[in-house]
Structures are given as C-alpha cells and as structure tokens.
Amino acid sequence: MKVECSSHRMPKFRVLIVDDSSLSREVLRRTLEIDSTLWVVGEAKTGEEAITMVRALKPDLVTMDLNMPGMGGLKAIEVVMRERPTPIVVISERSSTSGVDLNYEAISRGALELVPKSGVFGAGDDDLRRFVERMVMLAEAGVADEKPLPPAAPAPPIPVSTETPVLLGIGASTGGPKALAKLLASLPRDYPLPIAIVQHMAEDFFDSFVRFLRDASGHPVEQATAATRFEVGKVYVAPPRQEMFVRENLTVKLLPPPPNSLISPSVDSLFFSMATTLKGRSIGVLLTGMGDDGAQGLLRMRRMGARTVVQDKASCAVFGMPKAAVELGAAEHVIPLNDIGAFLTRASKGGAITGNNAAYVPSLSRVADTTKDRKVVLVVDDQATALELAKNTLNRAGFEVITLDNPMLVARTLRKNSVDLVVLEPELKTMKASALVQTLRSHGSNTPVLLWSSIDSATLQSRAKECQTSHALRKGDTAELIRTVGRLTRN
C-alpha cells in the first residue's frame, strides 16, 4: 500500500490506482500525472487494500485491475460501490478467468468504464492524451457539483408530430451500460416499438456488454447487422467501429466510420438518419455520457417533429451529452432516469403528452426553425464537391450555409452578411489561408475560423498556427464536422 500527501501542490482530482504490478502502477501514475489536475493519492496492490484506501483517502476516481491476489477487482468494485460510490475505471488485460466473463461482471457491479491495458501501455501519444483527458472528465464526474443549471427561459413550444412513432433510438456513453439496463428494464415486455441503441464501447468489451444488457433488462438484445430489419419487441445495438443508419423501410445500413473518426459508432449518425427517414415518427433519447455526441442529431430530430428526451443531471454519471443537447435546445423533455421509461411508454402511442405525463420542458428558443434563429456558416473552398458536401451536411443539421469558391469575395460577403463561423480550406490555389484570415482581422472581423482540409494532420496543425486559429478538422467525418461547427457557434 502506498499513500502520498503533498502540501505544495493541490491538484483538483484525487486518483487511487489499484494493480498488483508495480510496473503497471508506475506507468499508470506517470501517464495520469501528465495532467496537473490529476493527483495520484495512493496505490493499492490488492482488493483489500483498495477498499481500505477508498475509505481513508476518498478519491474522486479509482483505476482498477481485475486480476489480483487475494480479493480481486470484481469484489472490490462491489464493496466500493456499496460503501462509497466512486467512479471506477477498469484497466485490465484479461477478459475471462475460470469461465467467468470479467467484463460482464465488472459492468454489472458498477464499473463506469472499461479500458484494455493495450489502450494505455504502449499506446501512442495521441491515444495517451485522449485517455488522460477522459480520466480527467471521469474524475470530475465524481466531484459533487453544487451549482444548479440556470433556469430555462420561457419559449414557445415547437410543434411535435402526433403520428404514432415506429422506432425508439437511444444514445449513451460513459455510465451508459447501467443506465440503459435500468431504462430497458422499466419498459414493458410488450413495448410496441423496436429499439436502436448506440453505446460508446471498446470492441474488446462489446460482447460482454450485449449479454449484460440482455440479462439485466429482460428484453431480447442483439447486435445489429447489415441484414437487420427492426422488429417490435427487440433491442438492436450498433456494432463497434460501424456507423448505424436507419432506412425508410426500417432496415439497418452499416458503414465504416469516416477516416480519423474518434467516436464510432456515433449517436449522431443514428439520430440524423432517423430524422431524415422517419421525420416525426420516432423518439430520440440521449443518456449519460461525456462530450456532445448525439446533441446535434437530437436537435435535427426535434426540428423534424420527433419527441426528444434527455436524462437529467442528477441521475447522470456524466452530464455531458445531455447538457450539450439542452444547451442547443434539442431536448423537448429533461427527465430523471427512473421516470424515462414511463414517459416512453406513453409517447410510444403518439398524440399529445399532457398533465401528469408531461415533463420539464427546457428553453427551446434556439430551436425555433426560422432563419433568424439559425446559425450562419460561411464555407470557403475552391473544390465544388467539398462545397456541396459541406452545404448539404450543415443544412441538414439546421445551419444556414453560404458557400464561396472565390476567396477574394470573403471580406465583401462578411460585410453583407452576419456570419457566425468561417469554415476554410487552407490549401487554396489563389490565396494563402493565412493572408485571407489576416485580411478578415484587418477589417475588424472577429468571426471564428475553422480550417477544414484533407491534408495530413501535421500540415493542418501547421496551417492552423499560421492562421492563428486553434480550430482545425480533417475532411471525411461529417458527424464530427457537425459537432465542431455546433460547438463553435454555440452561444
């Protein structure tokens, strides 16, 4: 057992590492403390030591190996979650032992996240950076936030379709497995809609997750395939590293993720396809998770007349994705997890939901589908196909788009139009992007600039530095384009 105290540095989040390998603990400590907000306050070699140290140190985050002498990680997770619920990230290399599916057991006992050791030990710099950022966000989820959400401003409601829905779509990330199991278990066995689920999950743990969801919910749960037709009474989960789309005939279309995609499957892919093909004949639910995946897609569903629901802050493990949806005005209702099932049962029948069936309705002032409320994006590119792709993608997401193939006209366009964001190809044939940005700034324009290009990442970052912008994105991932534009134009 190793405990550290410090009087000269007080990082924000306290982390306990549990692993019987001294080398693993050392590598993990050095990796986590890349970020100064993470402070490794203790290291335990067994489950017994972990429980003792959780009681004494009250960490904000615990990393847990599953295979240890004495009390293993599974029992330790169970005790910690019973005595002092704390975000626990399982970092382990073995998925089964003596016929026991360790991943399944870790999820069922309350682990918040599962990370294969290969995702930390020997990973590249970019993967390590993303891992550390994720750990910071998970640690933050373990710290009580006393600040309430600002009250929603009154706004006129958006018309909701009264048609009977034909599909329920649910998206989740961190904390999602247990939230999904609880939600599905609260739905009647004869729930009248097929259910499509996107859960961010490492491929190593996917099969365990599907089995856990099936056993815990009592509903038939299976992996979606290219041959799947959505059937009433069944739950379909998007497979790892595949984007799941819904066709008009309620069949599944699976596509590989775009190049350089960081999130796959994407909740936005599912929700955008539901909005496009089903219009108001669907229901969208966004549960606990970090980041903002699903928020833009839910907004599109909302604008098409679908019912949209997000999990409330108090019942979320991480109020990231639902918060992003609320801030966009994408959530028709914000509901505690325990009450979402009853709401969905009522909503599955179509028609208005009033009286005791109504839930808290947040401000929808940003969702009003009028031109004056839409964010305006100027896309500058000398390739016609890129302009068409950006225009179609962003239009479908609810943005007003102006396209230019002549960079010499940008300054004049900005004088005539109120623009919230410029999306710029840095490798223009007729003008250097840095010169174009300098021209904009010299004319007093502070409009943010997003570089959008197919050039390699290193060159793109170099161009971003030349243009004095921190916003750059490689072409290919349209869902990420929508999320980035939404984030940069958000008030």
Side-chain angles (χ1 to χ4, degrees):
M1 183 187 308
K2 182 176 180 180
V3 179
E4 282 204 1
C5 296
S6 174
S7 59
H8 63 279
R9 64 185 275 238
M10 290 298 291
K12 188 175 181 180
F13 304 119
R14 301 159 61 85
V15 182
L16 172 64
I17 296 174
V18 185
D19 197 306
D20 62 326
S21 165
S22 59
L23 177 60
S24 294
R25 294 197 305 273
E26 179 63 23
V27 171
L28 194 51
R29 166 193 283 275
R30 291 183 179 182
T31 301
L32 292 172
E33 292 191 338
I34 290 173
D35 192 298
S36 61
T37 62
L38 293 176
W39 177 23
V40 177
V41 294
E43 299 175 18
K45 301 185 294 295
T46 66
E48 292 90 346
E49 287 186 1
I51 292 169
T52 300
M53 296 177 75
V54 166
R55 291 167 179 161
L57 299 175
K58 298 179 174 56
D60 303 309
L61 177 70
V62 176
T63 70
M64 183 77 70
D65 186 19
L66 296 181
N67 301 284
M68 297 179 291
M71 180 190 290
L74 291 178
K75 183 62 177 178
I77 292 171
E78 182 180 328
V79 175
V80 169
M81 296 308 292
R82 183 176 65 245
E83 293 189 0
R84 188 183 184 275
T86 303
I88 296 177
V89 178
V90 169
I91 303 178
S92 189
E93 58 187 350
R94 292 177 61 189
S95 61
S96 64
T97 181
S98 303
V100 177
D101 185 335
L102 300 179
N103 300 329
Y104 174 101
E105 295 298 333
I107 293 172
S108 65
R109 298 183 194 209
L112 195 61
E113 189 103 337
L114 303 174
V115 179
K117 279 195 172 180
S118 59
V120 181
F121 303 95
D125 290 345
D126 288 344
D127 289 336
L128 283 180
R129 175 180 52 79
R130 284 191 289 269
F131 167 74
V132 173
E133 289 174 354
R134 196 163 185 82
M135 294 305 101
V136 171
M137 297 176 75
L138 288 171
E140 190 171 21
V143 177
D145 184 0
E146 301 299 331
K147 295 184 294 183
L149 286 175
I158 295 174
V160 175
S161 172
T162 57
E163 293 183 272
T164 301
V166 296
L167 182 66
L168 167 62
I170 308 175
S173 184
T174 307
K178 295 206 76 172
L180 284 165
K182 191 169 188 177
L183 171 56
L184 293 178
S186 70
L187 296 175
R189 297 296 175 267
D190 59 350
Y191 187 71
L193 304 181
I195 301 171
I197 290 176
V198 171
Q199 163 70 51
H200 299 162
M201 177 68 61
E203 188 169 0
D204 295 3
F205 307 122
F206 181 78
D207 291 342
S208 301
F209 164 64
V210 171
R211 189 163 71 85
F212 162 73
L213 209 55
R214 183 188 307 127
D215 293 349
S217 70
H219 288 271
V221 180
E222 61 187 66
Q223 174 181 323
T225 70
T228 294
R229 177 181 293 275
F230 289 109
E231 297 179 10
V232 171
K234 291 186 178 180
V235 180
Y236 303 90
V237 184
R241 302 302 298 168
Q242 293 282 302
E243 299 299 296
M244 182 166 71
F245 302 87
V246 180
R247 295 189 176 100
E248 290 185 15
N249 62 356
L250 287 183
T251 57
V252 169
K253 179 179 181 180
L254 296 177
L255 293 175
N260 306 305
S261 176
L262 299 179
I263 300 175
S264 183
S266 161
V267 182
D268 273 327
S269 293
L270 172 64
F271 284 176
F272 272 114
S273 72
M274 290 175 66
T276 301
T277 60
L278 303 179
K279 306 292 192 293
R281 297 181 302 128
S282 61
I283 305 172
V285 179
L286 198 55
L287 300 179
T288 174
M290 60 181 57
D292 58 4
D293 184 30
Q296 292 285 351
L298 198 70
L299 175 61
R300 185 61 177 167
M301 291 184 69
R302 181 80 180 94
R303 283 178 167 153
M304 298 304 290
R307 307 224 78 114
T308 60
V309 179
V310 303
Q311 183 179 351
D312 78 338
K313 181 178 181 180
S315 62
C316 275
V318 180
F319 189 60
M321 289 157 48
K323 180 183 179 183
V326 171
E327 290 176 344
L328 284 177
E332 180 197 5
H333 297 284
V334 180
I335 307 178
L337 180 61
N338 287 340
D339 299 329
I340 295 178
F343 178 87
L344 295 178
T345 300
R346 174 64 185 87
S348 67
K349 302 171 184 176
I353 298 180
T354 58
N356 293 333
N357 292 311
Y360 162 63
V361 182
S363 170
L364 300 175
S365 57
R366 295 189 197 176
V367 194
D369 205 2
T370 60
T371 300
K372 68 183 180 64
D373 289 322
R374 299 172 72 188
K375 299 296 184 181
V376 181
V377 181
L378 172 62
V379 183
V380 185
D381 200 308
D382 49 17
Q383 298 295 318
T385 53
L387 289 175
E388 187 68 16
L389 173 63
K391 183 174 183 178
N392 291 340
T393 298
L394 295 175
N395 273 159
R396 285 196 302 269
F399 297 97
E400 183 178 348
V401 182
I402 303 171
T403 59
L404 279 180
D405 60 3
N406 184 354
M408 305 299 291
L409 300 178
V410 171
R412 187 176 73 177
T413 301
L414 289 178
R415 285 196 297 269
K416 291 184 176 182
N417 300 274
S418 177
V419 172
D420 298 291
L421 177 69
V422 175
V423 176
L424 175 64
E425 164 60 67
E427 299 294 295
L428 298 168
K429 296 188 178 99
T430 58
M431 187 177 189
K432 289 185 67 174
S434 56
L436 175 56
V437 174
Q438 186 176 3
T439 300
L440 297 181
R441 300 301 181 236
S442 67
H443 283 76
S445 173
N446 292 317
T447 305
V449 174
L450 167 65
L451 299 190
W452 187 52
S453 181
S454 298
I455 57 180
D456 64 88
S457 298
T459 304
L460 183 57
Q461 291 304 319
S462 176
R463 296 290 182 269
K465 187 175 181 180
E466 293 170 2
C467 294
Q468 298 183 330
T469 179
S470 58
H471 313 302
L473 182 68
R474 295 197 67 204
K475 290 177 179 175
D477 188 343
T478 54
E480 184 62 28
L481 175 64
I482 293 167
R483 284 193 291 270
T484 303
V485 171
R487 174 172 55 83
L488 294 178
T489 58
R490 195 175 300 158
N491 286 338

